[in-house]
Each structure stands twice: as C-alpha cells, then as structure tokens.
Amino acid sequence: MKAHVSQRPSAIRTAKRRTLVVATPLWTFLLGPGRKAEAATATFCAPDVQADNGIVYCDQAVGEGATPKRGDVIRCHYRGRLASNQAVFDASYDRGRPLSFTVGVGQVIQGWDLAILGTEDIPAMKAGGKRTVVVPAALAYGERGAGGGIIPPNADLVFDIELLGKNR
C-alpha cells in the first residue's frame, strides 16, 4: 500500500470520511430507547494513508486541544481489533474507564506511541482527536503475540484511539 501524498513532501492527503446513516427502526433497536438520534449517524474513516514505518491511519476527528509530548501522562479510550478478522480483543469503552499511561516511554506498544506523538509523516494527535490506526506486527507484539494467545504471533492490529488529554 502506498502513502497518499501530494506534490509537497510534507503534506499528507486527508483520509476520506464517510457518513453512515442507520435507519430509525434499526438504530432504535441497536442503541435502545432514550438514546439521542444523533448517535445513529457515525462518521468513520478507513485507514488509507501509510507512513514510512508501516502504520496506516486516518483521523476520524482532529482534536482541538493540546498535543502531548514524550513523558506526558495521557488518557485514551480505545478499541483494539485483529486486522485479520476484525475480532475485538480489548476495549476501554467496555470497561467505562480510559487507559492512563506515560506516552513515548514504552509503556504501550511502539505503534501507539508513534501514532499519538506523530512522526515525520504522521501528524501528532491533539486532545479530543480520534484516529484509526493499523499497527504492523513489528510495532505491536511481533513474534511473541500477547494475552495468552488472544493476539497471535505476527498479528497486525487495528486501534480506534480517542485522545482525551493529559491527566490532571
């Protein structure tokens, strides 16, 4: 997969955004009574911009808050899936509690640090931002896998990351 890059070397094409509108009876059934109608319209993107390090990403929403720096303690909500079959292996949303960690010091997989802090060809996330990233196995758990077999060896992973901001 090639990166989508404009004629200017530092400019990366913005991923296409798509809007999914779910029919009223279906969203009422899926979301349950009392949920707001706007929840039935979801903006999502298919990761289609590849960085030199192999991470493929797209921004669902670009945040307007602060950009974290290496060593900051940040909070993120996330959903992790296997790229091979889209099976969810972990989600902070399900626990109702975001993950707090020190970014850029190896407390999470390398692909996360790079996707959040940015690189030459991946812009850093800002608080309030939502990004979908495909992390190649080499920047995830590699040959060892993880979770007692939940994440198999050499698995590419997909994460929906929501950067909530720095810990207060």
Side-chain angles (χ1 to χ4, degrees):
M1 186 179 304
K2 292 184 179 179
H4 298 285
V5 189
S6 74
Q7 296 300 330
R8 295 176 300 163
S10 63
I12 297 177
R13 184 181 66 77
T14 302
K16 294 179 184 175
R17 288 182 175 77
R18 298 174 189 98
T19 301
L20 172 67
V21 179
V22 182
T24 301
L26 179 60
W27 74 259
T28 302
F29 173 74
L30 293 175
L31 299 175
R35 298 294 296 261
K36 295 185 178 184
E38 54 267 20
T41 302
T43 300
F44 67 98
C45 57
D48 66 349
V49 180
Q50 183 167 12
D52 289 341
N53 59 21
I55 293 175
V56 183
Y57 74 96
C58 69
D59 286 319
Q60 297 175 26
V62 175
E64 295 183 13
T67 299
K69 293 175 181 43
R70 185 178 190 272
D72 286 344
V73 178
I74 62 171
R75 295 176 303 118
C76 292
H77 262 306
Y78 68 93
R79 180 170 293 104
R81 304 184 305 275
L82 300 176
S84 61
N85 62 9
Q86 298 301 305
V88 174
F89 58 82
D90 192 18
S92 66
Y93 294 105
D94 295 345
R95 290 186 295 279
R97 196 174 87 190
L99 175 68
S100 291
F101 64 97
T102 304
V103 68
V105 298
Q107 288 187 352
V108 293
I109 60 173
Q110 186 180 11
W112 262 56
D113 282 338
L114 296 172
I116 293 169
L117 292 175
T119 65
E120 286 184 18
D121 50 354
I122 300 174
M125 289 185 74
K126 294 180 180 182
K130 295 180 180 182
R131 178 173 285 172
T132 299
V133 295
V134 179
V135 179
L139 298 176
Y141 297 102
E143 293 179 2
R144 72 182 188 275
I150 293 173
I151 299 174
N154 300 310
D156 294 341
L157 306 176
V158 179
F159 290 96
D160 299 311
I161 302 171
E162 179 181 2
L163 177 57
L164 301 173
K166 295 180 186 181
N167 272 357
R168 296 180 172 93

